[in-house]
Amino acid sequence: MDVGQMIEYIDVLDEDMKPIAVATREEVHQKGFWHQTFHCAVMLQEAGKNYIVFQRRHPLKKTFPYKLDISAAGHLLHGESVEDGVRELEEELGISVDYKELVYLGMHKGVYLTEEYWDREFHHIHLLQTDWKLSDFTIQRSELIGLYQMEWQSFQAFLKGERSTVEAFGYEYNANGMMEERRIKAHQADFAAQGACWDGYFTYTFEQIEKALSRSD
């Protein structure tokens, strides 16, 4: 559990997604219990192009500090439904969204195990398409340190291994609490661990986004 975070209780599931117990968030990751999370990729639409929003995780996070990650994500707490997870968009990005505005992309089983951290998650992944600007978001600075946007076609090429880096434009807060605009070239190692397994989470998520976009054409 991150510093300053209140105790959270989470539904423990079996591998068939049936609830079997309730545990604290700390216990869930100490013992590797299966649990559910809500994920949402935000796609901005500017001047006829699509851009995917990535958050920059806070450098003091216990897991994946200062890594780039999906736009918004978080654990579903005890008794919450997948629809309740939409609160993550308001908590992390400061935007109020009705669940009906999201496209459900599917569920991905993610496993990330280290000596101290056992993570087994059912990721419920969503897409939000909007004409908002990056400046319209207000980030939760205890969890994030910045936001970046990456052009959709360029990121697809990067994900497929057709290029070694992908350009991103956005902002971060510096050590003095001042916001700085930044333009970076991100490598695979700059992304959170589920993305480092390049044939896993990110590949699944962005394949589903591509299918969703083709259906809406």
Side-chain angles (χ1 to χ4, degrees), residues 10-11 28-29 33-37 75 119-122:
I10 294 174
D11 290 322
V28 162
H29 292 298
F33 294 143
W34 283 101
H35 58 288
Q36 299 183 91
T37 56
H75 291 74
D119 196 17
R120 293 185 173 95
E121 297 185 359
F122 296 105

Side-chain angles (χ1 to χ4, degrees), residues 39-52:
H39 291 232
C40 186
V42 177
M43 176 172 280
L44 308 182
Q45 299 169 313
E46 297 180 9
K49 291 187 176 182
N50 292 320
Y51 295 85
I52 293 290

